[in-house]
Amino acid sequence: MQAKAREVYVPPVLQDLRAGTAELHIALEKRLPFFSEQLDANAFRRLMQAYYGFYRPLESALLASACIPADFDIAPRLKTPTLQRDLHALGESPEGLEHLPLCRQLPVIESSAACLGVLYVLEGATLGGQILRREIATRLSLDADNGAAFLDVYGAATGRRWRDFIEYLGARLMDVAERAAVVAAAQTTFSCFERWLESREVLA
Ligand code: HEM
């Protein structure tokens, strides 16, 4: 008897997230300048300043929301410290860092569902980072030691951390309304990020 191909179980919330954000991901990916001929060290620094201007207030909002599920450990997943280190390595002074513009139009985080939707986007972005890290290392000779650690923020643990997150998400009991709230927050996170990057004039 022929062995049946092993089917990978995709929890409903992840199916909804993928269906609900695929287009937003494609649209943003197309406009990000990581593969642009014009991307030099200076443009990369401006791009990372813009990332910082979004991640810092968004991670602060997550922490201040009191909506992070009690059994979810967010501390090792915070990426602002890595962005800060990168910007220092790229020549930003501590004073300069404190004066960088920060995004004020952020997703509303009023439930654990919204919190998980935001986290889905921030965690998923580490997967693409693996491709971007190689490009930036080749093109600009920047890596984890001299200004591009954010693109490899979880290093060799990237896949495992993503699987852990997905497992956590899939194991949570959620009704249809909660699943919809997770997806809505993920969509808003993508659109707020794109609008912010656009306003910082770092998109193609
Ligand atoms: C040029 C930039 C980017 C590239 C090339 C890229 C590429 C990728 C790739 C290859 C994957 C993995 C697909 C898979 O393994 O099935 C992925 C997943 C993902 N990316 Fe991106 N990405 C980029 C930017 C971003 C940004 C800026 C965000 C959000 C801020 C983001 C959010 C996500 C999410 C949430 C997933 C998980 C999708 C899933 O499997 O459920 N990506 N990306």
Side-chain angles (χ1 to χ4, degrees):
M1 204 169 69
Q2 211 175 354
K4 227 179 152 189
R6 199 152 60 99
E7 281 170 29
V8 180
Y9 173 71
V10 181
V13 65
L14 186 55
Q15 291 178 27
D16 293 354
L17 277 163
R18 286 181 172 155
T21 61
E23 273 181 30
L24 293 164
H25 184 282
I26 292 168
L28 178 56
E29 191 184 329
K30 269 194 200 145
R31 299 187 68 196
L32 281 165
F34 289 101
F35 295 90
S36 156
E37 286 299 318
Q38 273 92 52
L39 189 82
D40 56 15
N42 193 42
F44 180 72
R45 176 169 151 180
R46 289 208 310 113
L47 181 60
M48 289 299 106
Q49 287 173 336
Y51 263 70
Y52 176 80
F54 188 72
Y55 274 70
R56 178 174 160 175
L58 184 54
E59 289 187 340
S60 297
L62 279 168
L63 292 170
S65 72
C67 292
I68 302 169
D71 59 351
F72 184 82
D73 188 10
I74 195 170
R77 294 185 183 266
L78 295 173
K79 298 162 192 76
T80 300
T82 305
L83 280 166
Q84 260 163 353
R85 275 196 301 278
D86 280 347
L87 286 168
H88 280 309
L90 295 170
E92 197 73 56
S93 68
E95 300 75 46
L97 202 66
E98 280 315 304
H99 290 100
L100 287 176
L102 302 178
C103 179
R104 308 251 165 249
Q105 263 146 16
L106 295 167
V108 176
I109 308 169
E110 284 176 340
S111 63
S112 55
C115 175
L116 292 171
V118 171
L119 286 170
Y120 165 77
V121 180
L122 301 184
E123 290 307 302
T126 64
L127 302 177
Q130 291 300 297
I131 297 171
L132 305 178
R133 136 184 107 80
R134 281 180 222 119
E135 178 68 16
I136 296 306
T138 311
R139 188 192 292 254
L140 302 177
S141 303
L142 294 175
D143 56 33
D145 297 323
N146 62 355
F150 172 78
L151 301 179
D152 192 25
V153 65
Y154 295 157
T158 306
R160 181 180 53 73
R161 286 213 173 191
W162 174 247
R163 285 191 298 278
D164 287 350
F165 178 72
I166 289 310
E167 213 172 283
Y168 177 84
L169 197 64
R172 273 183 75 87
L173 293 174
M174 287 187 221
D175 59 24
V176 174
E178 271 179 304
R179 284 208 325 254
V182 176
V183 176
Q187 289 170 328
T188 315
T189 307
F190 267 110
S191 49
C192 286
F193 193 30
E194 181 162 355
R195 265 202 304 271
W196 167 251
L197 294 175
E198 190 169 64
S199 76
R200 301 309 304 149
E201 299 180 355
V202 293
L203 292 183

